[in-house]
Amino acid sequence: GLCAVIATFCFRSIKLHGLRSYTTQRTFGYFVLGLQPNYWYWELFVKRFDIILVGIISDTFVAPEAKAKLVLYVVLSGVCLVGQLACSPFVDQNSALADRLEVAGLVVRFLTFAATTIFTIMDPELTIGVAVASGIAASICLFVLMLWSNFGYHFVMQLPTAGVIRSLRRKVDTGQE
């Protein structure tokens, strides 16, 4: 409900003032900044709809059994991953970093749900289960490490000394002294 109200006001502001206007950016910048102009709705509709569907699968009797719910989670995760890969809605800043991080997170989500579903349905031996669970845990740790390393890199590059390093690099690249 609240997302629909926000989306309605955002759409109205875009229609009246334009997507890149001060009014729209100040009021709805959290939802539209960082997205390509033709995908301004991505956070308001696609990502929120994903969250709503997870809630519906979890809290209703759409799928009465736990195994059926897990299968629906895998399908939903796969659809979200394919949608992200097909659209790449984030701006192509920093070598499409936001799209790459989003895809990595969705891959980890898909693998986690898929492995959980397979283990719940097939009930493998303990050693196989531990090995695959360790692999999933490692992929989650790698994803978190990737997030923090990218955050750290961009944080360091914003420091005042990073400007000196960039200007020195530019001088070396252009051959200036």
Side-chain angles (χ1 to χ4, degrees):
L2 181 61
C3 288
V5 170
I6 293 171
T8 303
F9 284 124
C10 183
F11 182 73
R12 185 170 165 254
S13 179
I14 290 170
K15 190 174 179 183
L16 289 174
H17 306 288
L19 181 62
R20 300 293 179 209
S21 72
Y22 175 77
T23 305
T24 303
Q25 293 293 318
R26 179 153 164 66
T27 310
F28 301 104
Y30 175 79
F31 298 108
V32 298
L33 285 177
L35 296 167
Q36 295 181 25
N38 52 336
Y39 292 109
W40 66 267
Y41 56 86
W42 194 261
E43 284 293 326
L44 284 169
F45 290 112
V46 177
K47 299 304 282 183
R48 299 301 180 255
F49 190 63
D50 176 25
I51 293 169
I52 289 169
L53 286 178
V54 168
I56 289 171
I57 293 169
S58 298
D59 300 333
T60 64
F61 294 104
V62 171
E65 292 184 31
K67 291 178 183 178
K69 289 182 185 214
L70 287 172
V71 170
L72 287 177
Y73 288 141
V74 172
V75 170
L76 179 61
S77 297
V79 167
C80 291
L81 177 59
V82 168
Q84 175 69 32
L85 288 170
C87 296
S88 296
F90 297 103
V91 293
D92 294 332
Q93 229 174 356
N94 299 318
S95 303
L97 178 65
D99 281 321
R100 286 188 291 127
L101 290 175
E102 184 76 16
V103 166
L106 289 171
V107 165
V108 168
R109 173 185 173 191
F110 178 77
L111 290 175
T112 302
F113 281 133
T116 304
T117 303
I118 289 170
F119 285 131
T120 303
I121 292 172
M122 295 181 70
D123 194 27
E125 291 183 24
L126 181 63
T127 55
I128 295 172
V130 168
V132 174
S134 299
I136 296 295
S139 70
I140 293 169
C141 290
L142 284 173
F143 173 67
V144 171
L145 180 66
M146 186 172 77
L147 281 174
W148 280 105
S149 64
N150 280 297
F151 173 75
Y153 170 77
H154 289 284
F155 178 77
V156 167
M157 294 311 284
Q158 298 300 317
L159 295 174
T161 56
V164 173
I165 294 169
R166 279 193 294 263
S167 66
L168 288 174
R169 189 179 320 144
R170 230 177 284 124
K171 286 181 181 181
V172 170
D173 291 342
T174 59
Q176 297 175 349
E177 290 187 28

